[in-house]
Amino acid sequence: MESQENHKLCMIPGPVEFHEDVLLSMSTPATSHVSPSFIPIFGESIELLRKIFFTANGQPFVVSGSGTLGWDMVSSNLIEPGEDVLVVNTGYFGDSFADCLGTYGAKVTQVKADIGDRPTLEEIHKALISKRFKAITITHVDTSTGVLSDVKAIADLVKQHSPETLVIVDGVCSVGSEEIRVDEWGIDIVLTASQKAIGVPPGLCILIASEKAMSVFIMNSYESRKGMYFATPPVQLIYALHTSLKQITSIPLEKRFQQHKEVSNWIKDSLEELGLKFVPKNREVSANGMTAVYYPEGIKATDLIPRVAEHGVVIAGGLHRKIASQYFRVGHMGISVTEPHRKHIEKTIEALRENLNKLGYKSK
């Protein structure tokens, strides 16, 4: 792992930094996807995913693809053309999920908020009771804005006022860093990806379906420890997934969530002390796995981001179409948070502070 020691820190909102053991677990010889040595790895990975999502009977799916493949899996398997879907929109990825649903023929109603905010429960309730919706979709953390949705409260609304509506959560930028409890909260689908807080290289779309959702969404799995062929799974990535899931579940998940909250506050406090402003309007609606920050007046992306990279830290530019040039994004998930001896967070804060100073910015 010598190259792991010398590369620039990847402190964007995914892909994140990967543990050496996760990367090493991918270095296997060519292995059949129905090999007796692989089938138990895939089977146990499915079982471990249930722990991550706090579900006893939800059905995990692990499929080759990006997190956005989950949108297609939902749109093509759960929603029939002409059925109504309510989209709770907090940014770029809410827009895109709505576009995907519309492409498959869904009739989409959106509830939106100003950039950096989330729709109120009253607004969602008003929309929810306006007609019968087959499903409601919620982007738990929109990676474009760093806004955190209150999934539990929204799911409670659905249970009270429209219990037949499927609750679908886009957890691409939240699973592993934000609390999410499928059974307790009454969620029907959570879709995510491997490269963020789960800490595995890109290439896996991961989706959990409740028993209610499975009545319209059917797939076989390796969990029975039989090599059920549905397509060739990405063997090496699943070895990596297994390693990472074992690491994640080795401590209580509540501790992991608390670690992410504490580091998130540390980074936000540090940037706030410099006088910087955030895209989310307050801490209550801010994600714990990433931070979206407006550039100070007079400083542009082309000024700051390359300088920070020269300092050995990679951060991301803005993504939301309306304000993309006005802000940058920092990811703080996975081992960068849970293994503080690596000092990823200190290096990131110092790189930002030092290079803002070099650009002439004086903290207020």
Side-chain angles (χ1 to χ4, degrees), residues 10 12-18 195-200 332-336:
C10 194
I12 66 174
V16 301
E17 286 292 310
F18 306 124
Q195 74 272 14
K196 296 184 185 276
I198 289 178
V200 175
H332 32 89
M333 300 177 231
I335 61 171
S336 294

Side-chain angles (χ1 to χ4, degrees), residues 91-111:
Y92 175 93
F93 289 96
D95 290 336
S96 300
F97 201 168
D99 288 344
C100 181
L101 287 158
T103 298
Y104 281 93
K107 295 168 62 179
V108 176
T109 300
Q110 296 195 54
V111 184

